[in-house]
Amino acid sequence: MEQYTSQARLFDENQQLKQKTLKMEEVLARLTELEKENARLKELLQASRENPLPSQMARVIYHVPGNWYETLLVDKGKGAGIRENMVVVSTQGLIGKVVRVDQSSSLVRLITDPQMEISAINQRSRDVVILQGNFNKELKGKLIPPRADLQVGDMMVTSGLGGVYPKGVPIGTISWISRNDADPNPKIKAVLAADLNHLEEVLILSPTTP
Amino acid sequence: MMLQGLFLFFLTFFFWLLEGSFFSHWTVWGIKPDLILILLVLTLLYRGTGYGLFVSITGGLLMDSYLMSQGFSTLFYLAVTFFLSPFLVKIEEDGMVLALLVMVVTTLQNIFFFLWLLASGTHPSVFRLIQVVPAQILFNLLLLIICYVLFRYFRILINLFRKRHGDSETTTY
């Protein structure tokens, strides 16, 4: 009888311990998630401090579906002072710009959208080119001067021309160049500095011109 | 009828959410599927044109609300409804014809989007079109098969439930 009671007690204890382990695992997962979020937010805060323009943090809440548009939705809208054409960046570089604002959310067009054209400057040679979205985390060159000094691996940053994008925000690095005699203008492709597939929080910058 | 409409509304909303969350990361060669199109085809197959119109308008408006495509998606899904309805009534559950229709519709959808972007002044490359069409056809067909099987099981379950509760009607979801 005593042995039976002892076994039953052991069984109960075992069940309780199993439940406790499950709870601990859940807490641990939540803590890991918080730790990662904390690290990301710290980086973002640092980036916002380094940026001369006033900015605010927004969370990515929806990746708009479709294969012919590259847009996403963030959780800040008119209520937070967001306006159209505000520039969106991450800790790594340029993300896009706000194209539509609702009361509590905004639609951001990513720089990989073909409707986006950005004036960029080569950080090494200071040559200015126009980069256009080309889907798949890639940009292609447009309106490149024939004698432009461009090399694979060159970092392209925003030129500040046009008044929408502030000067010096990293866009990406040149990954491919093609020159031929028939066409005086070289063709280039650039890979993005920012990882658009793993965006969770972004910074929305206030406009450079009021 | 009201309950079925409500069910379809939530299903459309769920598919739309799934497309913008899970399937924006889970892609085939970087190409996303069109879940609303899959839902529309299955609704037309099982529920007819009336409910198909409901899904095409609801799904289309949801897509247009964030795509900035000025009603293009809604118009496209409505066109699909009118194009597919006569075929789907005749074929009933012929998998091959269904797959062929989805292939045609997916191709047309991407060609229209491509032309629409060209007309709006953007110049997407033809390479993109060549890349998107086969990948999306493959993805749509794969998901169509999965959803088709799930819908069939769901229909069987509902019919069993109805039989157990003495309802003689057995031809709904």
Side-chain angles (χ1 to χ4, degrees):
Chain A
M1 184 66 188
E2 198 179 311
Q3 196 183 354
Y4 174 76
T5 326
S6 158
Q7 263 188 352
R9 207 183 62 234
L10 274 173
F11 181 75
D12 280 350
E13 213 169 282
N14 189 271
Q15 289 297 315
Q16 278 174 6
L17 283 170
K18 269 184 185 167
Q19 273 186 355
K20 231 179 209 176
T21 315
L22 275 174
K23 269 184 191 167
M24 293 297 275
E25 275 174 6
E26 194 192 315
V27 170
L28 193 69
R30 221 181 307 149
L31 275 175
T32 315
E33 190 58 29
L34 281 172
E35 201 179 352
K36 282 184 178 170
E37 190 183 0
N38 192 22
R40 285 198 313 270
L41 291 177
K42 257 185 190 169
E43 269 183 48
L44 216 56
L45 186 69
Q46 184 63 28
S48 83
R49 277 183 188 150
E50 284 167 7
N51 206 306
L53 292 170
S55 59
Q56 51 183 311
M57 195 270 285
R59 280 176 205 280
V60 177
I61 51 173
Y62 188 69
H63 288 262
V64 180
N67 293 307
W68 295 96
Y69 298 89
E70 302 263 311
T71 47
L72 52 83
L73 209 61
V74 294
D75 70 344
K76 293 266 167 72
K78 271 180 201 157
I82 306 298
R83 279 180 284 152
E84 278 185 19
N85 282 333
M86 278 187 169
V87 177
V88 182
V89 298
S90 75
T91 49
Q92 298 151 318
L94 187 66
I95 299 294
K97 70 173 180 182
V98 176
V99 285
R100 201 182 73 195
V101 188
D102 296 327
Q103 194 53 40
S104 56
S105 66
S106 303
L107 187 71
V108 177
R109 181 170 286 152
L110 303 176
I111 51 173
T112 45
D113 189 299
Q115 294 184 55
M116 290 286 275
E117 287 177 5
I118 305 142
S119 170
I121 190 164
N122 187 318
Q123 219 170 31
R124 181 184 56 81
S125 67
R126 313 310 291 171
D127 276 321
V128 176
V129 302
I130 303 290
L131 291 175
Q132 186 188 25
N134 193 30
F135 302 108
N136 291 345
K137 301 158 237 164
E138 194 184 71
L139 300 165
K140 63 179 178 186
K142 197 183 171 187
L143 299 175
I144 301 170
R147 286 170 204 277
D149 177 14
L150 303 166
Q151 286 173 15
V152 171
D154 279 354
M155 171 58 86
M156 305 301 289
V157 296
T158 49
S159 69
L161 300 170
V164 176
Y165 302 97
K167 193 175 179 175
V169 180
I171 301 173
T173 47
I174 298 176
S175 59
W176 176 85
I177 302 177
S178 166
R179 293 175 200 268
N180 62 56
D181 298 334
D183 187 4
N185 300 78
K187 288 182 172 62
I188 65 164
K189 279 181 183 173
V191 286
L192 293 188
D195 181 5
L196 298 184
N197 279 348
H198 297 95
L199 280 179
E200 288 179 68
E201 292 93 12
V202 292
L203 277 181
I204 304 179
L205 308 180
S206 292
T208 48
T209 48
Chain B
M1 182 143 170
M2 177 81 175
L3 205 68
Q4 286 178 12
L6 206 65
F7 173 75
L8 262 181
F9 174 78
F10 281 114
L11 201 61
T12 312
F13 190 70
F14 174 70
F15 270 51
W16 177 74
L17 276 181
L18 205 64
E19 202 170 324
S21 50
F22 180 72
F23 284 104
S24 62
H25 299 289
W26 205 76
T27 56
V28 169
W29 302 307
I31 306 299
K32 298 159 203 162
D34 188 344
L35 287 186
I36 301 292
L37 182 71
I38 292 163
L39 179 66
L40 177 60
V41 169
L42 289 173
T43 307
L44 284 169
L45 185 71
Y46 287 125
R47 305 298 303 150
T49 313
Y51 285 100
L53 280 172
F54 180 77
V55 171
S56 57
I57 292 171
T58 317
L61 287 176
L62 280 171
M63 295 292 275
D64 283 327
S65 60
Y66 290 115
L67 267 183
M68 300 192 76
S69 49
Q70 287 107 29
F72 179 86
S73 299
T74 313
L75 278 175
F76 178 78
Y77 291 132
L78 280 172
V80 168
T81 306
F82 287 112
F83 170 71
L84 288 189
S85 288
F87 291 101
L88 291 177
V89 167
K90 282 179 195 156
I91 66 159
E92 289 185 356
E93 290 185 20
D94 186 334
M96 281 305 284
V97 183
L98 191 67
L100 193 74
L101 287 173
V102 169
M103 281 166 78
V104 172
V105 168
T106 307
T107 311
L108 286 176
Q109 183 188 32
N110 285 300
I111 290 172
F112 283 142
F113 255 116
F114 179 78
L115 293 175
W116 190 78
L117 277 178
L118 273 182
S120 65
T122 316
H123 299 284
S125 66
V126 182
F127 176 71
R128 174 71 181 174
L129 188 67
I130 297 165
Q131 189 190 18
V132 168
V133 171
Q136 205 184 25
I137 284 176
L138 195 78
F139 213 167
N140 279 355
L141 285 179
L142 185 76
L143 290 174
L144 182 77
I145 294 165
I146 295 169
C147 290
Y148 179 78
V149 172
L150 286 175
F151 269 53
R152 278 183 73 101
Y153 272 114
F154 188 59
R155 208 158 66 136
I156 291 165
L157 278 178
I158 291 288
N159 285 344
L160 275 174
F161 178 81
R162 288 197 161 189
K163 266 183 193 164
R164 194 170 282 180
H165 287 79
D167 194 338
S168 58
E169 193 189 339
T170 55
T171 52
T172 50
Y173 271 121

